[in-house]
Amino acid sequence: MSTDIDTTTTTQQHRQPAQVSLDDPRLTSFDVLREGARRDDIEIVHYEPPFPVPGTRTERRISRFVAGLFLLAGLTATAFLVVYIWWPWEYELGTGISKFYTPLLGVSLGLTLLAIGVGILTWGKKLLPHEVAIQDRHDGPSSPDDRKITGGTLTYMVDELGVKRRPLLGVSLLAGLAPVAAVAAAPLVGGLIRDPHTDNQMATTGWEPVETVGGGTELVRLTREDGSPIRPADVSVGGQMTVFPGIPGGHTNRYADSPTLLIHLRLDDARTARENNEAVGKPDYMWGNYIAYSKICTHAGCPASLYEQQTNRLLCPCHQSQFLITDNAKPVFGPASRRLPQLPISVDDEGFFVATSDYTEIVGPDFWERP
């Protein structure tokens, strides 16, 4: 039994071909690749040469098709950049050209990714060889010969891509993907170049003072959902009330960023809130023991309206963020990272609550101010 095993082993060793010298200048990239496969015990189960045959009319037709897809990707990516940078994007009520901003971004970016995907798939299926190989995994560091084989393998792969033989593909790939790289960088760089809060377009709500016929301004009253104005006596001590801007449609979705929580603080709590307001430069935001905060959570825009009178915390039911209303609505629990904006309030000559100005901070979630 022992003699049979030794004989078999010796026979297998004699059948194993001698290693090829990798320093032989006559070796091609494929020879190096094949030698590396043999040394790594790789069994090539299936190898199918590239189709069509290099240099034929069919190959040139497929190359032009792939190049056209890459160039199309470049054009649609350029269209994305043009829309992103120059197309009017500010929201406007009714119909207008700004309504096409988001759809155009989606269509141009979708066509870009589709063209790149189809181009790469066509290149891989029609112009590259197909090979199926099986290799046993080896442990330990790579030898110098293994590193040389790896380099030769990479060189062979580059040759098989056919970029040198098909320069149109290389040029189209470069011309098509360069704008795609710009598309990836545009939202990041654009946010650093242009402040989205320019002209305060993201901070204007229904509480902005209304311009009168004579050129002056009129302060907006705090009203109930039915439009009736609110007096201080309407909110009991420790109570709260959701209020809306007293303008046409102030309680509708047209001014969905305007719902505000009016809170009547207890005496000691009001004193603490006033001191904290003065510490951050808001000495005149409260009126008496009354304070008003935006009802829109700064985390995800949910209605933060669950008021705990004993703890002076305002809770958002969606993700359990909590805000301390006696300390400028500072977030004290949950995922919210920014305070609720405070609405400066007062009482007019008729004894009704008014907003002395619009919110001076962004209402709701705002990426620009995230830490």
Side-chain angles (χ1 to χ4, degrees), residues 2-79:
S2 175
T3 304
D4 292 341
I5 293 176
D6 292 339
T7 302
T8 303
T9 302
T10 304
T11 303
Q12 291 177 349
Q13 290 176 349
H14 284 302
R15 287 178 181 176
Q16 188 178 26
Q19 293 185 353
V20 176
S21 174
L22 298 177
D23 296 326
D24 189 344
R26 295 172 297 177
L27 293 180
T28 63
S29 297
F30 183 75
D31 293 332
V32 175
L33 174 66
R34 183 171 53 188
E35 174 63 14
R38 187 185 67 81
R39 294 188 184 187
D40 286 340
D41 298 328
I42 297 176
E43 178 185 358
I44 299 179
V45 180
H46 173 75
Y47 182 84
E48 180 182 343
F51 175 83
V53 179
T56 61
R57 181 179 300 176
T58 304
E59 183 203 27
R60 290 193 293 271
R61 183 175 66 250
I62 296 176
S63 298
R64 288 193 294 268
F65 175 73
V66 175
L69 288 173
F70 290 151
L71 292 176
L72 174 62
L75 291 175
T76 53
T78 302

